[in-house]
Amino acid sequence: MARLVMKFGGTSVANIERIRIVARHVKREVEAGHQVAVVVSAMSGKTNELVAWCREAAVLHDAREYDAIVASGEQVTSGLLAIVLQDMGIPARSWLGWQLPISTDDAHGAARILDVNGEEIINRFAQGEVAVIAGFQGIHLPTGRLTTLGRGGSDTSAVAVAAGIKADRCDIYTDVDGVYTTDPRIVPKARRLEKVAFEEMLEMASLGAKVLQVRSVELAMVHKVRTFVRSSFTDPDAPELKTAGDPPGTLICDEEEIVESEVVTGIAFARDEAQVSIRHVPDQPGIAANVFVPLAEANINVDMIVQNISAEGFTDITFTVPSTDFERAKAALAVVRDQIGFQSIEGATDVVKVSIIGIGMRSHAGVAARAFKALSERGINIRAISTSEIKISVLIDAAYTELAVRTLHSVYGLDA
């Protein structure tokens, strides 16, 4: 017998028919003798509708009331799934974030989880009851106000609940059957990975892979929650789902569980990047701080940074920001232009960041050289480069995205 958390996203609970299929997945695990908590998202499209209503009501609206409104989608789904499970003869009860409680800070609309009290859920397990928990939401205990965790927050809720109840694993059911070496829509030969280390998944999620939300992977890594990415569209009664051992899908786990790691695990890409270049900057101490402190104060995340070698006391600084922050970044720098002393600001939004990820890079030389050589042979110019212990990212023209991804996927043998 295991203690499981099962999470189902919006497409998995899009209507009553889909919710009945979800209930059959839950029933299978209950009949196998497992203790089960289920975390659900709002029905597909419902959160967007609720957000649109808030904006229609008032462009500048109270973030606390926004949370009260958008959290209602998950409340509906959790209640409906509990009803369907009860109709199947399975004891079930719906829970909202404040009822556990899932304690958060007061950053309404993007709250961070501080603690999950799983005591009552564990008590109900002893009575054979399934807990159906509304994802995406919590409570700021000092004020008693409902909070939401930001888009994709149900993944984070699920991992937090798994940590709170000390679950044996957390199954994230989604519209794909696992994590792939890259986007199969671009590279048909992309293959599903059996296991991915937490660090690799964190890089993939932050660099463009949409399978898991970044904060959920961070939580899983901190609390060492074994997490499976699985398909909710598989027949709940399929024989392979009833066998003992790990379920079909991709396991996100500690590096120690991966016996022999690949040099490169996957290729990710992010289209929502913008390049900013400030020209003819005085090359002297304090200038970098004068450039990046105003951006930090404007809450603009800076990623890749390249500074040219000084020539005649001046240099150029190039960096990337999210494309949604492109104009804000230029405006923030324009305010401090006299303080920095730069000549001009240039930028581009028609760029993409392509990243090579793999824990095997730590012990292999020449990984970057192979990438640069392969891209040059395809006539792809690199605008900027950033690296970490397990990642190499290059900024290129957006027009070459698919060619670059296919090239790198092949160069590292991921087609095999």
Side-chain angles (χ1 to χ4, degrees), residues 214-277:
V214 174
R215 281 163 58 195
S216 70
V217 184
E218 289 176 346
L219 264 180
M221 183 165 63
V222 168
H223 296 284
K224 296 193 181 302
V225 176
R226 298 175 85 246
T227 305
F228 278 89
V229 178
R230 309 178 57 177
S231 173
S232 63
F233 294 94
T234 305
D235 181 355
D237 300 316
E240 63 268 22
L241 300 186
K242 298 185 178 183
T243 56
D246 292 342
T250 299
L251 170 63
I252 317 300
C253 61
D254 196 271
E255 187 178 336
E256 294 174 359
E257 287 196 53
I258 301 175
V259 179
E260 185 65 33
S261 58
E262 299 280 349
V263 177
V264 171
T265 300
I267 311 296
F269 61 94
R271 299 183 189 272
D272 55 348
E273 297 287 320
Q275 176 185 329
V276 179
S277 297

Side-chain angles (χ1 to χ4, degrees), residues 67-401:
D67 277 357
I69 293 163
V70 299
S72 64
E74 283 72 16
Q75 178 173 335
V76 170
T77 312
S78 59
L80 288 172
L81 179 55
I83 288 173
V84 172
L85 286 168
Q86 291 166 5
D87 189 53
M88 290 181 171
I90 298 172
R93 181 196 157 173
S94 65
W95 295 80
L96 303 183
W98 62 267
Q99 292 175 305
L100 293 180
I102 296 174
S103 172
T104 77
D105 62 19
D106 62 350
H108 288 277
R112 298 191 73 86
I113 294 174
L114 303 177
D115 183 57
V116 175
N117 187 336
E119 185 177 344
E120 187 58 29
I121 297 295
I122 294 171
N123 291 339
R124 299 299 183 100
F125 284 157
Q127 304 169 32
E129 187 175 277
V130 171
V132 185
I133 303 166
F136 178 62
Q137 60 180 249
I139 184 172
H140 180 239
L141 289 173
T143 61
R145 295 292 309 192
L146 192 71
T147 57
T148 62
L149 309 180
R151 300 311 291 263
S154 291
D155 284 353
T156 307
S157 298
V159 174
V161 167
I165 65 173
K166 295 179 171 56
D168 295 281
R169 71 171 196 253
C170 178
D171 292 351
I172 306 289
Y173 286 81
T174 182
D175 53 1
V176 295
D177 62 351
V179 179
Y180 279 72
T181 49
T182 195
D183 189 337
R185 292 170 297 183
I186 288 182
V187 183
K189 290 183 179 180
R191 54 187 172 82
R192 190 182 74 199
L193 297 162
E194 295 297 320
K195 293 182 179 181
V196 177
F198 289 126
E199 288 179 86
E200 291 175 319
M201 193 66 237
L202 190 58
E203 293 283 11
M204 287 182 178
S206 64
L207 294 168
K210 307 296 185 184
V211 179
L212 286 177
Q213 202 248 11
V214 174
R215 281 163 58 195
S216 70
V217 184
E218 289 176 346
L219 264 180
M221 183 165 63
V222 168
H223 296 284
K224 296 193 181 302
V225 176
R226 298 175 85 246
T227 305
F228 278 89
V229 178
R230 309 178 57 177
S231 173
S232 63
F233 294 94
T234 305
D235 181 355
D237 300 316
E240 63 268 22
L241 300 186
K242 298 185 178 183
T243 56
D246 292 342
T250 299
L251 170 63
I252 317 300
C253 61
D254 196 271
E255 187 178 336
E256 294 174 359
E257 287 196 53
I258 301 175
V259 179
E260 185 65 33
S261 58
E262 299 280 349
V263 177
V264 171
T265 300
I267 311 296
F269 61 94
R271 299 183 189 272
D272 55 348
E273 297 287 320
Q275 176 185 329
V276 179
S277 297
I278 52 176
R279 305 296 187 191
H280 207 65
V281 181
D283 191 8
Q284 61 192 40
I287 287 298
N290 291 341
V291 170
F292 295 109
V293 167
L295 297 173
E297 290 174 345
N299 202 28
I300 296 172
N301 289 325
V302 175
D303 184 17
M304 313 170 91
I305 302 174
V306 177
Q307 181 172 340
N308 294 344
I309 295 173
S310 178
E312 299 179 358
F314 292 91
T315 185
D316 296 337
I317 299 176
T318 296
F319 56 91
T320 62
V321 298
S323 56
T324 52
D325 290 332
F326 179 57
E327 295 299 333
R328 286 203 309 123
K330 290 197 297 182
L333 290 172
V335 171
V336 293
R337 178 170 185 166
D338 291 341
Q339 183 180 347
I340 299 171
F342 63 84
Q343 191 176 80
S344 62
I345 299 180
E346 299 175 7
T349 54
D350 57 340
V351 294
V352 67
K353 179 170 62 181
V354 180
S355 302
I356 306 152
I357 301 153
I359 54 176
M361 289 186 194
R362 290 175 179 153
S363 55
H364 287 78
V367 178
R370 290 175 66 187
F372 302 154
K373 184 173 186 291
L375 293 175
S376 70
E377 288 173 349
R378 298 293 189 278
I380 300 172
N381 184 50
I382 298 173
R383 289 171 170 257
I385 302 166
S386 69
T387 64
S388 74
E389 196 175 25
I390 65 168
K391 172 210 73 178
I392 300 163
S393 293
V394 295
L395 191 72
I396 63 172
D397 292 343
Y400 293 98
T401 304

